[in-house]
Amino acid sequence: MEETKKKFNWKTAVIIVMAGLLLFCMARINDMSDEIATLQNALSNCEHRISNMDSNISSIYNNVDEMLKKEASLLSNVDYTLGELNTENHTVPVTVKLTPKSLTDDTQMTMKVDGQTISFERNGNEFTATFSVGMFLAFNDYPMLNIVDDGATKTELLESVELTTLYTRYLPNVYAYVTPFDEFKNGKLEIDGTLQFDAKPTTADGAVSITKVELVTVKNKQEVARTDITDTVKADHNHVPVQATYDAQYGDEFCIYIVAEDSLGYTHKVPAYYWHEVDEHTSEAVTPVDDGTEIYDKNGKLLTGGY
């Protein structure tokens, strides 16, 4: 009976020790969880502070850069205004007013932009020029100013006179995306997706509406389907069903475009879906990038964009 009692006490001791170890481990785990949470909060605070420091440094750099540009500039004042779009020749009237920091009675100014050399008229210390510039002027194609004084010519790039890609101010920004749910089998490509469509002005200047929207499917650069979805888009532009089945084989390329006409007569062709299955091991089903958008005039002439 005494042996049984000793055996019982040994088991009890082991259980008590294990229970104590378990409680100790749970306490340590809890402490470590608190420490990890503290470290995570500290890390988050550090990241936030670093982000703020980056923003402050960037702001300081931009301010210094702006101050240096103003200091180095030949001009004390730059101002320009844009007029109404001319849809016949796709140009925008522009009036630029400049005031040089120093001038004489013989000071003259000219400016090169969009393939033109523009002369300024002087009125006291201010120089003014009115001209028209193409709405589709290439990005970063800034005007180059020439100041002639006492036989010497000084030049300055007028980055603050933003005349590039003016069409983004006057025409709608058309967005289209087809969520692809496709299946290729037995020589057939089955598309069962959803179109998300949007069209709005990039700036307040572009009060132009979309009057017609078509869904166009192109196979190997040949149009195979065209559907007017204007009413459907107006009802719900975020959930337009796209369902179709086409004969297909390895190597074929399919692209779905949105062709939208605006109230000024311009046509916007926006790639919304692309499919290309090279072989049974390699396939591509992606949405083309936004810069594939093409804009045409009312006569079908390509004005900008495309791959």
Side-chain angles (χ1 to χ4, degrees):
M1 184 175 181
E2 189 174 343
E3 290 181 359
T4 304
K5 184 178 180 181
K6 289 183 179 179
K7 187 176 181 181
F8 174 77
N9 291 339
W10 176 79
K11 286 183 177 180
T12 302
V14 171
I15 292 173
I16 293 173
V17 171
M18 292 181 65
L21 288 173
L22 179 60
L23 291 174
F24 175 78
C25 290
M26 291 177 65
R28 286 298 299 145
I29 290 173
N30 186 63
D31 291 341
M32 292 177 66
S33 297
D34 291 341
E35 291 176 4
I36 290 173
T38 302
L39 289 173
Q40 287 177 335
N41 290 333
L43 179 60
S44 178
N45 290 334
C46 287
E47 290 176 344
H48 182 68
R49 292 175 60 186
I50 291 172
S51 177
N52 288 338
M53 290 176 64
D54 287 341
S55 298
N56 291 336
I57 292 172
S58 178
S59 178
I60 292 172
Y61 173 81
N62 291 333
N63 290 337
V64 171
D65 185 58
E66 188 67 23
M67 291 174 60
L68 291 174
K69 285 183 178 179
K70 287 183 178 181
E71 184 67 25
S73 176
L74 302 172
L75 306 169
S76 60
N77 185 62
V78 178
D79 186 29
Y80 74 99
T81 56
L82 303 175
E84 294 184 5
L85 170 66
N86 184 327
T87 58
E88 295 301 319
N89 54 22
H90 323 300
T91 60
V92 176
V94 184
T95 298
V96 179
K97 296 182 179 181
L98 307 174
T99 303
K101 289 180 178 178
S102 62
L103 72 165
T104 67
D105 293 339
D106 298 326
T107 301
Q108 295 181 343
M109 286 188 182
T110 60
M111 182 174 62
K112 292 184 178 180
V113 60
D114 196 17
Q116 309 173 72
T117 299
I118 311 298
S119 297
F120 284 78
E121 293 185 0
R122 181 173 178 174
N123 183 14
N125 293 339
E126 186 177 72
F127 291 76
T128 304
T130 299
F131 56 96
S132 293
V133 65
M135 180 171 57
F136 299 98
L137 192 63
F139 181 68
N140 283 343
D141 190 0
Y142 296 109
M144 178 61 73
L145 176 67
N146 295 305
I147 300 179
V148 180
D149 202 347
D150 294 332
T153 301
K154 297 180 180 179
T155 63
E156 181 172 332
L157 195 64
L158 297 180
E159 296 184 12
S160 59
V161 181
E162 300 180 2
L163 303 179
T164 61
T165 59
L166 287 177
Y167 68 91
T168 60
R169 300 192 184 201
Y170 292 87
L171 303 184
N173 178 24
V174 181
Y175 168 83
Y177 173 85
V178 172
T179 303
F181 295 99
D182 48 50
E183 185 177 15
F184 173 56
K185 64 179 180 179
N186 302 325
K188 299 289 185 180
L189 173 63
E190 297 181 5
I191 301 174
D192 185 4
T194 302
L195 168 68
Q196 296 180 21
F197 174 84
D198 196 13
K200 56 186 178 182
T202 304
T203 67
D205 298 333
V208 182
S209 61
I210 294 295
T211 58
K212 184 178 181 180
V213 183
E214 292 181 310
L215 188 73
V216 179
T217 303
V218 174
K219 173 185 176 182
N220 299 331
K221 300 183 179 180
Q222 297 293 322
E223 183 177 317
V224 295
R226 181 182 289 260
T227 306
D228 191 321
I229 60 171
T230 306
D231 293 337
T232 307
V233 166
K234 287 181 178 179
D236 186 354
H237 59 80
N238 281 325
H239 300 92
V240 180
V242 179
Q243 298 173 328
T245 301
Y246 301 101
D247 293 330
Q249 60 184 357
Y250 291 125
D252 284 343
E253 290 182 299
F254 284 84
C255 191
I256 296 178
Y257 295 92
I258 290 299
V259 178
E261 297 179 11
D262 65 37
S263 54
L264 293 178
Y266 293 96
T267 298
H268 308 252
K269 183 179 179 182
V270 185
Y273 168 82
Y274 176 78
W275 181 91
H276 181 211
E277 188 129 353
V278 180
D279 53 45
E280 60 180 338
H281 304 294
T282 308
S283 64
E284 300 173 356
V286 298
T287 299
V289 293
D290 291 340
D291 60 9
T293 298
E294 300 172 351
I295 299 178
Y296 297 81
D297 67 10
K298 58 186 178 181
N299 297 317
K301 179 183 177 181
L302 178 63
L303 301 174
T304 188
Y307 293 113

